[in-house]
Amino acid sequence: MEIDLDSPEAQQAFGVQLASAMQPPCVLYLEGDLGTGKTTLTRGILRGLGHVGAARSPTYTLIEPYTLIESDALADVSLYHLDLYRLGDPEELEYLGLRDLMTQDALWVVEWPERGAGFLPKADLLIQINYHTAGRHLNVIARTGRGEAVLSWIRDHPS
């Protein structure tokens, strides 16, 4: 599925739409150059799940956990936002306790997933974000049946 978005607000709105379709466990990979709005999209997902307050980019901490209790979309869901841009070696993910966290039924949003190759779970959905004349161009690719279900929901519920 290909989507063109003309503003950061439209990118956040698409994140809200994604949140309505994602059910844990679900792993979303976000690929794109610096500044294409990977964290902006994640903020929209968090907003769609009922998160109120700041949604920080985990550029230096690598992982930012969110526990969303009794959100409109889901009850008691955890979302882990990873930003692996500064990851020196994929093995560092082991020191963060990633293996233990992976046993949870959670939502995962991973920026720069290629830097964690071999230590990350397989993506259900991959979103490639590119600069576009009027904003951003998203290429949304399902990698599993769960990802196909998310895409199907988005097609059936256009924003």
Side-chain angles (χ1 to χ4, degrees):
M1 170 184 282
E2 295 190 24
I3 301 167
D4 289 323
L5 302 171
D6 62 2
S7 68
E9 293 78 21
Q11 204 158 343
Q12 281 195 24
F14 180 67
V16 170
Q17 185 182 20
L18 269 175
S20 297
M22 295 171 67
Q23 299 291 317
C26 188
V27 179
L28 170 63
Y29 283 3
L30 300 177
E31 295 179 348
D33 291 336
L34 286 171
T36 55
K38 296 176 293 294
T39 299
T40 299
L41 185 61
T42 303
R43 285 185 183 115
I45 293 169
L46 285 164
R47 193 175 81 218
L49 293 171
H51 176 71
V52 178
R56 296 177 299 274
S57 175
T59 302
Y60 293 99
T61 58
L62 299 181
I63 186 168
E64 188 69 40
Y66 296 90
T67 300
L68 306 150
I69 301 179
E70 296 180 22
S71 72
D72 291 340
L74 304 164
D76 298 341
V77 66
S78 293
L79 182 142
Y80 293 97
H81 179 199
L82 282 73
D83 183 336
L84 305 182
Y85 180 73
R86 297 192 184 282
L87 189 70
D89 185 307
E91 280 191 32
E92 290 176 39
L93 293 173
E94 193 67 34
Y95 304 120
L96 291 174
L98 190 66
R99 188 181 312 263
D100 294 333
L101 294 174
M102 294 309 234
T103 62
Q104 299 179 20
D105 278 348
L107 300 175
W108 293 84
V109 179
V110 183
E111 299 182 32
W112 304 95
E114 65 279 4
R115 298 185 185 214
F119 287 85
L120 293 173
K122 182 175 150 180
D124 294 301
L125 202 61
L126 166 65
I127 300 180
Q128 299 166 327
I129 307 171
N130 296 295
Y131 290 106
H132 188 270
T133 319
R136 302 293 183 263
H137 178 80
L138 280 59
N139 189 22
V140 186
I141 304 162
R143 294 273 175 96
T144 66
R146 186 173 287 118
E148 284 291 344
V150 171
L151 278 183
S152 180
W153 191 94
I154 290 170
R155 284 185 195 107
D156 292 344
H157 299 86
S159 57

